Amino acid sequence: MADIALKVVVDEAHIGKTDMVSRSAVKAGMRVESIVPEIGVIYGSGDETLLASLAKVEGVQKVDKETSFCLPPCSEKVPQ
Amino acid sequence: MAATDEPATDGNSVLDLLRPKATGGLVVSFAERAGRDEVSALENAIGSGVRSVGLSDAAEINALDSEPALVFEELGVAFVSERFGLEATSSIRAKLMDTECVQNVRPEFYMFAIETFGDTAEATWGVRAVGALDSPQRIEERGEGIRLAVLDTGLDLTHPDFAGRNIVQRSFVPGQGVQDGHGHGTHCAGTAAGGRAAQSQFRYGIASNAELYVGKVLNNAGSGRERDIIAGMIWAIQQRCAVVSMSLGRPVQPGEEPAPEYERIGRLALQQGSLLIAAAGNESSRRYGFIAPVGAPANAPSIMAVAAVDQSLEVAEFSCGAINPGGGEIDIAGPGVGILSATPQPELYRKMQGTSMACPHVAGVAALWAETDPELRGQALWDKLTGTARGLDAPARDVGAGLVQAPQGQAGV
């Protein structure tokens, strides 16, 4: 199964311990690629089954596929 | 006409955009009421297919749209279809102008609803509608000392209107520099922090002397990873930008709650004296009664969500509304239809529409307010913007506190 881009959101109580939660996520199988300690978010990649398993890691509030943002075609006829 | 190497304009791209738009058809005025001679003259020029129409038939005019030419006998006016094409229409026009009973032949133009605001030779309708022409600061000084970040597709660093500006830049897109290969970012930066069109007095930007921070978070195809956008937001806050303009987002489902990470970053910004301002989204189809919920990240309670209004100060057809609870509200509105601003070379200027265009109007005005008082930062700046907004007829669901308004005083255009 192809890897997916993952986003782990740390719960309020663990925002100051995002690095610690990140290490736990690595042990669970996530490839951590960037950490935003200011808001308790960890980005990385891994198998889709991590969506369920990472949610059980202590300090994790939620796990999602990382979304992307996309503008419409750059045309004056299309609302931007 | 003799061939020439000169471009078919006078070189003023702004004026070109303001000119009336021709349909490709012709309007023919006869010297008198149109009778048999006038119909014959038309047939000589276009061939068969001239249809006489009485005033009583006017209500059915759309059904006659495919006719090559329509003559309104009582009015002494005829319309020649745009379907002949440029070359044939030019020949038809010449023939008609050489006909005795014809008084005038001119291009047919598109007509638009009467606007409360419109572009003038002085400024865009958006700049006028937010009261930026009446701002007490001189235009060259507006926003001075205020750091204003635009997180978007970057900026055309060679655009003449930004020549000489001290621009702090950083790209968060792997493998791409800040140079805007898309156009969206340059347009938004132009509205928020541009000024006058080079070598003219036409004004389209608001905080013309703000310290512009350009964060490229969307690539040249207009898309970006969430992690890069978050990184850009953190950067702008760490750079102590008082105002952060984000004309980006993604649609959300009805009932979907704001993501906690965006609310955290919005709160962090307010604590640090930054105000994050985001486009509400364009997924509504209001003519069918459908109002889409405010998208992310604008739906975070601590991020200011901006709706778009048109030249009549009506909510724009596409503008998202407060459908979801818990932060999915509209906080304020800005001009977002028919907005002229900068675009990368060689085009230089173009008109665009969307809440992406409304957002930088609010950001530019926020910078003007921040300049008036060093205490106006974070939540205080938010409160000033919503507290001074102009109330509109549309409900708060669609426009929040109303149309953003710049500080008023002696005009300093």
PDB file of all heavy atoms in Angstrom, chain B residues 22 56 60 64 70 76 116-117 137 139 143 171 200 209 223 229 256 274 278 287 297 323 338 392 395 403-404 409:
ATOM      1  N   ALA B  22     -16.563  45.743 -26.405  1.00  0.00           N
ATOM      2  CA  ALA B  22     -17.445  45.611 -27.563  1.00  0.00           C
ATOM      3  C   ALA B  22     -17.942  44.177 -27.689  1.00  0.00           C
ATOM      4  O   ALA B  22     -17.224  43.231 -27.376  1.00  0.00           O
ATOM      5  CB  ALA B  22     -16.696  46.025 -28.825  1.00  0.00           C
ATOM      6  N   SER B  56     -43.730  46.261 -29.987  1.00  0.00           N
ATOM      7  CA  SER B  56     -44.517  45.253 -29.261  1.00  0.00           C
ATOM      8  C   SER B  56     -43.810  43.895 -29.246  1.00  0.00           C
ATOM      9  O   SER B  56     -44.129  43.027 -28.446  1.00  0.00           O
ATOM     10  CB  SER B  56     -45.902  45.111 -29.889  1.00  0.00           C
ATOM     11  OG  SER B  56     -45.761  44.748 -31.245  1.00  0.00           O
ATOM     12  N   GLU B  60     -39.912  39.773 -26.862  1.00  0.00           N
ATOM     13  CA  GLU B  60     -39.486  38.468 -27.379  1.00  0.00           C
ATOM     14  C   GLU B  60     -38.111  38.548 -28.035  1.00  0.00           C
ATOM     15  O   GLU B  60     -37.738  37.690 -28.819  1.00  0.00           O
ATOM     16  CB  GLU B  60     -40.515  37.968 -28.417  1.00  0.00           C
ATOM     17  CG  GLU B  60     -41.960  38.009 -27.945  1.00  0.00           C
ATOM     18  CD  GLU B  60     -42.197  37.134 -26.730  1.00  0.00           C
ATOM     19  OE1 GLU B  60     -41.525  36.101 -26.614  1.00  0.00           O
ATOM     20  OE2 GLU B  60     -43.022  37.512 -25.877  1.00  0.00           O
ATOM     21  N   LEU B  64     -35.109  36.167 -30.998  1.00  0.00           N
ATOM     22  CA  LEU B  64     -34.628  36.599 -32.313  1.00  0.00           C
ATOM     23  C   LEU B  64     -33.111  36.733 -32.343  1.00  0.00           C
ATOM     24  O   LEU B  64     -32.536  37.316 -33.260  1.00  0.00           O
ATOM     25  CB  LEU B  64     -35.266  37.953 -32.663  1.00  0.00           C
ATOM     26  CG  LEU B  64     -36.804  37.970 -32.655  1.00  0.00           C
ATOM     27  CD1 LEU B  64     -37.308  39.394 -32.827  1.00  0.00           C
ATOM     28  CD2 LEU B  64     -37.346  37.077 -33.763  1.00  0.00           C
ATOM     29  N   LEU B  70     -31.534  43.016 -36.870  1.00  0.00           N
ATOM     30  CA  LEU B  70     -32.872  43.382 -36.410  1.00  0.00           C
ATOM     31  C   LEU B  70     -33.046  44.884 -36.609  1.00  0.00           C
ATOM     32  O   LEU B  70     -32.171  45.669 -36.236  1.00  0.00           O
ATOM     33  CB  LEU B  70     -33.047  43.047 -34.918  1.00  0.00           C
ATOM     34  CG  LEU B  70     -32.911  41.577 -34.519  1.00  0.00           C
ATOM     35  CD1 LEU B  70     -33.015  41.436 -33.002  1.00  0.00           C
ATOM     36  CD2 LEU B  70     -33.982  40.740 -35.189  1.00  0.00           C
ATOM     37  N   GLY B  76     -35.918  53.747 -35.504  1.00  0.00           N
ATOM     38  CA  GLY B  76     -34.914  54.099 -36.506  1.00  0.00           C
ATOM     39  C   GLY B  76     -33.532  53.567 -36.144  1.00  0.00           C
ATOM     40  O   GLY B  76     -32.513  54.208 -36.389  1.00  0.00           O
ATOM     41  N   THR B 116     -23.053  51.175  -7.538  1.00  0.00           N
ATOM     42  CA  THR B 116     -22.851  52.181  -6.515  1.00  0.00           C
ATOM     43  C   THR B 116     -21.442  52.726  -6.645  1.00  0.00           C
ATOM     44  O   THR B 116     -21.201  53.909  -6.488  1.00  0.00           O
ATOM     45  CB  THR B 116     -23.045  51.558  -5.119  1.00  0.00           C
ATOM     46  OG1 THR B 116     -24.330  50.942  -5.071  1.00  0.00           O
ATOM     47  CG2 THR B 116     -22.953  52.619  -4.051  1.00  0.00           C
ATOM     48  N   PHE B 117     -20.510  51.830  -6.927  1.00  0.00           N
ATOM     49  CA  PHE B 117     -19.117  52.214  -7.115  1.00  0.00           C
ATOM     50  C   PHE B 117     -18.646  51.722  -8.473  1.00  0.00           C
ATOM     51  O   PHE B 117     -19.129  50.724  -8.976  1.00  0.00           O
ATOM     52  CB  PHE B 117     -18.231  51.590  -6.027  1.00  0.00           C
ATOM     53  CG  PHE B 117     -18.432  52.196  -4.673  1.00  0.00           C
ATOM     54  CD1 PHE B 117     -19.277  51.607  -3.755  1.00  0.00           C
ATOM     55  CD2 PHE B 117     -17.785  53.369  -4.328  1.00  0.00           C
ATOM     56  CE1 PHE B 117     -19.468  52.173  -2.511  1.00  0.00           C
ATOM     57  CE2 PHE B 117     -17.970  53.937  -3.083  1.00  0.00           C
ATOM     58  CZ  PHE B 117     -18.813  53.340  -2.178  1.00  0.00           C
ATOM     59  N   GLN B 137      -3.365  59.729   5.831  1.00  0.00           N
ATOM     60  CA  GLN B 137      -1.958  59.641   5.427  1.00  0.00           C
ATOM     61  C   GLN B 137      -1.796  59.949   3.945  1.00  0.00           C
ATOM     62  O   GLN B 137      -2.669  59.641   3.144  1.00  0.00           O
ATOM     63  CB  GLN B 137      -1.411  58.235   5.704  1.00  0.00           C
ATOM     64  CG  GLN B 137      -1.521  57.796   7.145  1.00  0.00           C
ATOM     65  CD  GLN B 137      -2.697  56.862   7.350  1.00  0.00           C
ATOM     66  OE1 GLN B 137      -3.769  57.026   6.775  1.00  0.00           O
ATOM     67  NE2 GLN B 137      -2.506  55.874   8.200  1.00  0.00           N
ATOM     68  N   ILE B 139      -0.431  59.079   0.335  1.00  0.00           N
ATOM     69  CA  ILE B 139      -0.382  57.724  -0.224  1.00  0.00           C
ATOM     70  C   ILE B 139       1.006  57.108  -0.110  1.00  0.00           C
ATOM     71  O   ILE B 139       1.161  55.928   0.201  1.00  0.00           O
ATOM     72  CB  ILE B 139      -0.868  57.697  -1.688  1.00  0.00           C
ATOM     73  CG1 ILE B 139      -0.813  56.260  -2.217  1.00  0.00           C
ATOM     74  CG2 ILE B 139      -0.099  58.634  -2.588  1.00  0.00           C
ATOM     75  CD1 ILE B 139      -1.479  56.073  -3.547  1.00  0.00           C
ATOM     76  N   GLY B 143       0.752  53.055   5.650  1.00  0.00           N
ATOM     77  CA  GLY B 143       1.212  51.776   6.155  1.00  0.00           C
ATOM     78  C   GLY B 143       2.655  51.797   6.610  1.00  0.00           C
ATOM     79  O   GLY B 143       3.222  50.748   6.951  1.00  0.00           O
ATOM     80  N   SER B 171      10.388  31.698   0.453  1.00  0.00           N
ATOM     81  CA  SER B 171       9.572  30.660  -0.174  1.00  0.00           C
ATOM     82  C   SER B 171       9.520  29.427   0.712  1.00  0.00           C
ATOM     83  O   SER B 171      10.545  28.970   1.222  1.00  0.00           O
ATOM     84  CB  SER B 171      10.130  30.277  -1.543  1.00  0.00           C
ATOM     85  OG  SER B 171       9.359  29.213  -2.083  1.00  0.00           O
ATOM     86  N   SER B 200       1.441  56.679 -13.686  1.00  0.00           N
ATOM     87  CA  SER B 200       0.088  57.244 -13.764  1.00  0.00           C
ATOM     88  C   SER B 200      -0.357  57.539 -12.337  1.00  0.00           C
ATOM     89  O   SER B 200       0.327  57.224 -11.377  1.00  0.00           O
ATOM     90  CB  SER B 200      -0.884  56.275 -14.428  1.00  0.00           C
ATOM     91  OG  SER B 200      -1.351  55.320 -13.497  1.00  0.00           O
ATOM     92  N   ASN B 209       2.915  51.898   1.503  1.00  0.00           N
ATOM     93  CA  ASN B 209       4.281  51.953   2.022  1.00  0.00           C
ATOM     94  C   ASN B 209       4.486  50.986   3.185  1.00  0.00           C
ATOM     95  O   ASN B 209       5.417  51.147   3.982  1.00  0.00           O
ATOM     96  CB  ASN B 209       4.623  53.385   2.443  1.00  0.00           C
ATOM     97  CG  ASN B 209       6.117  53.606   2.525  1.00  0.00           C
ATOM     98  OD1 ASN B 209       6.879  52.981   1.786  1.00  0.00           O
ATOM     99  ND2 ASN B 209       6.546  54.468   3.427  1.00  0.00           N
ATOM    100  N   SER B 223      -1.132  25.488  -5.938  1.00  0.00           N
ATOM    101  CA  SER B 223      -1.471  24.571  -4.855  1.00  0.00           C
ATOM    102  C   SER B 223      -0.347  24.524  -3.820  1.00  0.00           C
ATOM    103  O   SER B 223       0.804  24.880  -4.115  1.00  0.00           O
ATOM    104  CB  SER B 223      -1.756  23.163  -5.392  1.00  0.00           C
ATOM    105  OG  SER B 223      -0.608  22.609  -5.973  1.00  0.00           O
ATOM    106  N   ILE B 229       1.973  25.885   4.309  1.00  0.00           N
ATOM    107  CA  ILE B 229       1.140  27.049   4.644  1.00  0.00           C
ATOM    108  C   ILE B 229       1.259  27.356   6.141  1.00  0.00           C
ATOM    109  O   ILE B 229       1.406  28.518   6.540  1.00  0.00           O
ATOM    110  CB  ILE B 229      -0.313  26.778   4.216  1.00  0.00           C
ATOM    111  CG1 ILE B 229      -0.360  26.754   2.681  1.00  0.00           C
ATOM    112  CG2 ILE B 229      -1.255  27.827   4.792  1.00  0.00           C
ATOM    113  CD1 ILE B 229      -1.547  26.067   2.092  1.00  0.00           C
ATOM    114  N   GLU B 256     -19.038  20.671   9.639  1.00  0.00           N
ATOM    115  CA  GLU B 256     -17.633  20.394   9.960  1.00  0.00           C
ATOM    116  C   GLU B 256     -17.090  21.452  10.922  1.00  0.00           C
ATOM    117  O   GLU B 256     -17.266  22.653  10.716  1.00  0.00           O
ATOM    118  CB  GLU B 256     -16.800  20.387   8.670  1.00  0.00           C
ATOM    119  CG  GLU B 256     -15.330  20.053   8.889  1.00  0.00           C
ATOM    120  CD  GLU B 256     -14.558  19.957   7.573  1.00  0.00           C
ATOM    121  OE1 GLU B 256     -15.178  19.637   6.540  1.00  0.00           O
ATOM    122  OE2 GLU B 256     -13.342  20.224   7.591  1.00  0.00           O
ATOM    123  N   SER B 274      -0.232  39.829  16.087  1.00  0.00           N
ATOM    124  CA  SER B 274      -0.499  39.668  14.651  1.00  0.00           C
ATOM    125  C   SER B 274      -1.981  39.392  14.438  1.00  0.00           C
ATOM    126  O   SER B 274      -2.645  38.811  15.301  1.00  0.00           O
ATOM    127  CB  SER B 274       0.307  38.503  14.069  1.00  0.00           C
ATOM    128  OG  SER B 274       1.694  38.758  14.113  1.00  0.00           O
ATOM    129  N   ALA B 278      -8.245  35.901   6.511  1.00  0.00           N
ATOM    130  CA  ALA B 278      -8.345  34.862   5.468  1.00  0.00           C
ATOM    131  C   ALA B 278      -9.611  35.016   4.642  1.00  0.00           C
ATOM    132  O   ALA B 278     -10.656  35.472   5.131  1.00  0.00           O
ATOM    133  CB  ALA B 278      -8.311  33.475   6.105  1.00  0.00           C
ATOM    134  N   ARG B 287     -27.525  32.495  -6.524  1.00  0.00           N
ATOM    135  CA  ARG B 287     -28.686  32.667  -7.408  1.00  0.00           C
ATOM    136  C   ARG B 287     -29.606  31.454  -7.324  1.00  0.00           C
ATOM    137  O   ARG B 287     -30.780  31.537  -7.668  1.00  0.00           O
ATOM    138  CB  ARG B 287     -28.241  32.933  -8.843  1.00  0.00           C
ATOM    139  CG  ARG B 287     -27.620  31.774  -9.571  1.00  0.00           C
ATOM    140  CD  ARG B 287     -27.461  32.101 -11.048  1.00  0.00           C
ATOM    141  NE  ARG B 287     -26.488  33.150 -11.256  1.00  0.00           N
ATOM    142  CZ  ARG B 287     -25.202  32.943 -11.564  1.00  0.00           C
ATOM    143  NH1 ARG B 287     -24.750  31.710 -11.664  1.00  0.00           N
ATOM    144  NH2 ARG B 287     -24.369  33.934 -11.746  1.00  0.00           N
ATOM    145  N   PRO B 297      -8.666  27.980   6.304  1.00  0.00           N
ATOM    146  CA  PRO B 297      -8.637  28.203   7.756  1.00  0.00           C
ATOM    147  C   PRO B 297      -9.494  29.363   8.247  1.00  0.00           C
ATOM    148  O   PRO B 297      -9.487  29.653   9.435  1.00  0.00           O
ATOM    149  CB  PRO B 297      -7.158  28.520   7.999  1.00  0.00           C
ATOM    150  CG  PRO B 297      -6.737  29.253   6.754  1.00  0.00           C
ATOM    151  CD  PRO B 297      -7.488  28.605   5.641  1.00  0.00           C
ATOM    152  N   ILE B 323     -22.640  29.289   7.829  1.00  0.00           N
ATOM    153  CA  ILE B 323     -23.521  28.117   7.872  1.00  0.00           C
ATOM    154  C   ILE B 323     -23.160  27.229   9.049  1.00  0.00           C
ATOM    155  O   ILE B 323     -24.031  26.689   9.724  1.00  0.00           O
ATOM    156  CB  ILE B 323     -23.385  27.318   6.555  1.00  0.00           C
ATOM    157  CG1 ILE B 323     -23.776  28.203   5.372  1.00  0.00           C
ATOM    158  CG2 ILE B 323     -24.216  26.053   6.604  1.00  0.00           C
ATOM    159  CD1 ILE B 323     -25.178  28.767   5.431  1.00  0.00           C
ATOM    160  N   GLY B 338     -14.749  42.305  -9.826  1.00  0.00           N
ATOM    161  CA  GLY B 338     -14.197  43.277 -10.781  1.00  0.00           C
ATOM    162  C   GLY B 338     -13.050  44.069 -10.200  1.00  0.00           C
ATOM    163  O   GLY B 338     -12.973  45.282 -10.389  1.00  0.00           O
ATOM    164  N   LEU B 392     -24.095  47.090   6.254  1.00  0.00           N
ATOM    165  CA  LEU B 392     -24.671  46.844   4.929  1.00  0.00           C
ATOM    166  C   LEU B 392     -26.067  46.260   5.082  1.00  0.00           C
ATOM    167  O   LEU B 392     -26.448  45.806   6.172  1.00  0.00           O
ATOM    168  CB  LEU B 392     -23.786  45.870   4.142  1.00  0.00           C
ATOM    169  CG  LEU B 392     -22.354  46.342   3.849  1.00  0.00           C
ATOM    170  CD1 LEU B 392     -21.541  45.215   3.216  1.00  0.00           C
ATOM    171  CD2 LEU B 392     -22.367  47.573   2.944  1.00  0.00           C
ATOM    172  N   PRO B 395     -27.383  40.456   5.587  1.00  0.00           N
ATOM    173  CA  PRO B 395     -27.288  39.998   6.981  1.00  0.00           C
ATOM    174  C   PRO B 395     -25.853  39.673   7.402  1.00  0.00           C
ATOM    175  O   PRO B 395     -24.984  39.431   6.553  1.00  0.00           O
ATOM    176  CB  PRO B 395     -28.146  38.725   6.991  1.00  0.00           C
ATOM    177  CG  PRO B 395     -28.173  38.260   5.577  1.00  0.00           C
ATOM    178  CD  PRO B 395     -28.085  39.490   4.726  1.00  0.00           C
ATOM    179  N   LEU B 403     -18.826  46.352   5.607  1.00  0.00           N
ATOM    180  CA  LEU B 403     -17.711  46.664   4.701  1.00  0.00           C
ATOM    181  C   LEU B 403     -16.584  47.366   5.458  1.00  0.00           C
ATOM    182  O   LEU B 403     -16.802  48.397   6.106  1.00  0.00           O
ATOM    183  CB  LEU B 403     -18.202  47.567   3.565  1.00  0.00           C
ATOM    184  CG  LEU B 403     -17.169  47.978   2.514  1.00  0.00           C
ATOM    185  CD1 LEU B 403     -16.664  46.759   1.745  1.00  0.00           C
ATOM    186  CD2 LEU B 403     -17.755  49.005   1.561  1.00  0.00           C
ATOM    187  N   VAL B 404     -15.385  46.814   5.375  1.00  0.00           N
ATOM    188  CA  VAL B 404     -14.224  47.382   6.067  1.00  0.00           C
ATOM    189  C   VAL B 404     -14.017  48.842   5.651  1.00  0.00           C
ATOM    190  O   VAL B 404     -14.233  49.201   4.484  1.00  0.00           O
ATOM    191  CB  VAL B 404     -12.964  46.536   5.776  1.00  0.00           C
ATOM    192  CG1 VAL B 404     -12.511  46.666   4.322  1.00  0.00           C
ATOM    193  CG2 VAL B 404     -11.832  46.885   6.715  1.00  0.00           C
ATOM    194  N   GLY B 409     -10.020  61.079   7.438  1.00  0.00           N
ATOM    195  CA  GLY B 409      -9.400  62.347   7.779  1.00  0.00           C
ATOM    196  C   GLY B 409      -9.241  63.164   6.537  1.00  0.00           C
ATOM    197  O   GLY B 409      -9.918  62.913   5.538  1.00  0.00           O
TER     198      GLY B 409
END
